[in-house]
Amino acid sequence: MRHFVFALLLLLSPPLLAAERLDATPRIAVMSAFAPEWQLLKSATTEQKSHSVNGIDFVTGRLAGRNVVLFLSGISMVNATMSTQIALDRFDVTGIVFSGIAGGVDPALNVGDVVVANQWSQYLEATFARDLGNGKWSVPPWQTATLPNYGMIFPGPVEVRRAGSATPEKRMWFEVDADMLKAAGRMGDVALQDCVAPGRCLGRKPRMIVGGNGVSGQAFVDNAAFREYVFATFKAQLLDMESAAVAMVAYANGTPFIAFRSLSDLAGGEHGGNEMATFMGLASANAALVVQRFLQAWTPPR
């Protein structure tokens, strides 16, 4: 009888409806984490129309000759995950492009450089291991350490479900879209900003680097030792607080994704204090400039 009642309730329940599309035009989603990044791109966008979902402002329009929807991811992994999925549910998204700042990890890179990583991982998708003393740690017996640890932190893969797959899979890395990466590689030299004010310039001209690894996590990193660990363990060029989350959502939905991150600081590698407050504007402008050039170079799949 209980099973019959449950089945009857299912039959009488209204069908689950997809989220209402706010716009029918196929668009490239252009995301930023910080307001300064968002304002730069928004100021260059024409034919603007605003929408709001769960307190997130989405602006549709034309940017660099493409139909786009602009929005802020919010800072950190959970915010980026939520806002990305809302955009995919409410708009016809043909690809996701992230424009933002980051902390440099690779010692060969400098503030102002723009990195276009070819894959992203999460350095805090991890087990905090049991302390055995004398510098020894123990992960639970059902887990296997796949990468070198940083003290008690043992990073590992994340489980993800994907459209069209009946079973979840574990992944350490999420690759950006191959065609997007090729388009970025065809862009050639971009004249990036190198001064925050007259007489206050970087020691050398910033450059764009296509390829390499990026990592993301919930922590703002300003620690030289951890920076060195991330570079050695993940062979990473940079770290931030959103890109890997967006890459994972894009993978789960089968949506092309790429991120352009300009270095605002060196994640603890500076000789003095952290320089993000000084160079955030310059880095934001460089990322936004490269994204607009990319939009001209890449043709969405539909």
Side-chain angles (χ1 to χ4, degrees), residues 128-133 135-139 149-154:
F128 283 16
R130 185 177 293 252
D131 188 353
L132 301 179
K136 295 181 180 179
W137 306 89
S138 175
V139 298
N149 60 301
Y150 184 81
M152 70 176 181
I153 304 174
F154 284 73

Side-chain angles (χ1 to χ4, degrees), residues 220-268:
F220 181 88
V221 177
D222 189 30
N223 182 278
F226 191 76
R227 175 184 189 256
E228 292 173 1
Y229 163 78
V230 168
F231 178 62
T233 302
F234 293 91
K235 306 298 184 288
Q237 276 60 59
L238 73 165
L239 53 76
D240 65 31
M241 299 177 69
E242 298 87 21
S243 295
V246 180
M248 180 174 171
V249 175
Y251 176 80
N253 286 273
T255 304
F257 163 78
I258 196 167
F260 295 84
R261 290 285 191 166
S262 182
L263 306 187
S264 60
D265 62 280
L266 300 181

Side-chain angles (χ1 to χ4, degrees), residues 169-248:
E169 59 177 303
K170 288 190 174 183
R171 294 184 69 88
M172 195 74 216
W173 294 95
F174 292 89
E175 295 83 8
V176 306
D177 181 75
D179 289 336
M180 284 178 148
L181 195 66
K182 289 179 183 177
R186 293 194 299 266
M187 288 167 53
D189 293 333
V190 181
L192 300 175
Q193 291 188 19
D194 64 340
C195 296
V196 295
R200 296 186 64 194
C201 300
L202 299 171
R204 67 165 184 79
K205 292 284 187 181
R207 57 200 176 104
M208 186 174 78
I209 296 91
V210 179
N213 298 334
V215 294
S216 306
Q218 293 89 330
F220 181 88
V221 177
D222 189 30
N223 182 278
F226 191 76
R227 175 184 189 256
E228 292 173 1
Y229 163 78
V230 168
F231 178 62
T233 302
F234 293 91
K235 306 298 184 288
Q237 276 60 59
L238 73 165
L239 53 76
D240 65 31
M241 299 177 69
E242 298 87 21
S243 295
V246 180
M248 180 174 171

